[in-house]
Amino acid sequence: MTSELVYQGSFLNVHKDQVALPDGKEAQREYIVHPGAVAILALTPQRELVLERQYRYPAGREFIEIPAGKIDSGEPPEATARRELLEETGYRAANWTYLGTAHPCIGYSNEKISYYLAQDLILSERRLDEGEFLEVLTLPLDTAMDMALTGGICDSKSIVGLHWLAAYLSGRMRGVPI
């Protein structure tokens, strides 16, 4: 019914809307408008997963997670995935597979994350953004999967990605080569 932009940031915008409910009543909804993101499951020929250890300010701690980043305005998600993998880890990939898209915060954001499998990796030079500090590590895929089950990897983006990667590698899920 009505929409008000209550905060406009360099990355996120917050809206407050008055909406009509199915029963005819009105309610207020606050939500974050997000530009979208990608997440990359970079897998070496030795079945090691490229991961990052990074301090996340909102949670006040370090996390081990899969590489990811926001989509720049007008940038196709596949291009974002290639750019983010190189910038954050220094890897390029010869083969890419789209695994799917998930909506991580449907109660308060329109964010969506597109997931990609990157294989046939070639190590190059990292190009971290200014103010970005992270450590790149590789772990055997089985170790990363175990960490997701025991809390060592606990962000939802990485857990979804690992779940879809396991399904893809077992043949239960089809990806789309790009």
Side-chain angles (χ1 to χ4, degrees):
M1 301 187 46
T2 64
S3 183
E4 177 187 358
L5 177 64
V6 294
Y7 173 78
Q8 184 170 12
S10 60
F11 174 45
L12 301 172
N13 296 325
V14 179
H15 288 258
K16 180 169 59 173
D17 294 0
Q18 282 297 122
V19 300
L21 299 176
D23 65 3
K25 295 180 182 174
E26 289 187 14
Q28 182 176 288
R29 297 290 186 257
E30 298 171 350
Y31 61 97
I32 297 168
V33 176
H34 188 286
V38 299
I40 304 111
L41 296 127
L43 194 60
T44 71
Q46 298 78 27
R47 287 183 62 95
E48 290 188 326
L49 194 63
V50 178
L51 297 164
E52 302 171 352
R53 182 186 325 270
Q54 184 170 193
Y55 181 82
R56 294 299 194 167
Y57 179 81
R61 59 169 276 214
E62 286 187 341
F63 288 85
I64 295 175
E65 55 191 287
I66 61 177
K70 78 171 186 64
I71 298 170
D72 288 341
S73 179
E75 183 178 42
E78 311 80 50
T80 304
R82 287 182 168 90
R83 175 179 55 77
E84 287 290 342
L85 182 64
L86 179 61
E87 285 178 2
E88 293 185 356
T89 70
Y91 282 101
R92 297 179 190 274
N95 290 304
W96 288 86
T97 304
Y98 169 73
L99 298 177
T101 297
H103 300 263
C105 312
I106 59 174
Y108 61 87
S109 178
N110 70 343
E111 179 181 8
K112 63 182 181 179
I113 302 174
S114 297
Y115 288 81
Y116 296 90
L117 170 61
Q119 294 179 290
D120 299 322
L121 303 178
I122 302 152
L123 187 56
S124 186
E125 186 177 331
R126 289 192 323 168
R127 302 174 184 166
L128 291 173
D129 290 334
E130 186 175 334
E132 191 170 39
F133 302 92
L134 56 90
E135 172 192 354
V136 177
L137 58 142
T138 58
L139 290 175
L141 181 56
D142 289 342
T143 301
M145 295 290 192
D146 289 344
M147 289 175 69
L149 295 173
T150 59
I153 294 175
C154 59
D155 70 294
S156 63
K157 146 187 90 327
S158 296
I159 293 169
V160 168
L162 288 167
H163 176 72
W164 284 356
L165 177 60
Y168 176 81
L169 293 175
S170 72
R172 291 180 294 133
M173 176 183 180
R174 290 188 182 174
V176 178
I178 58 169

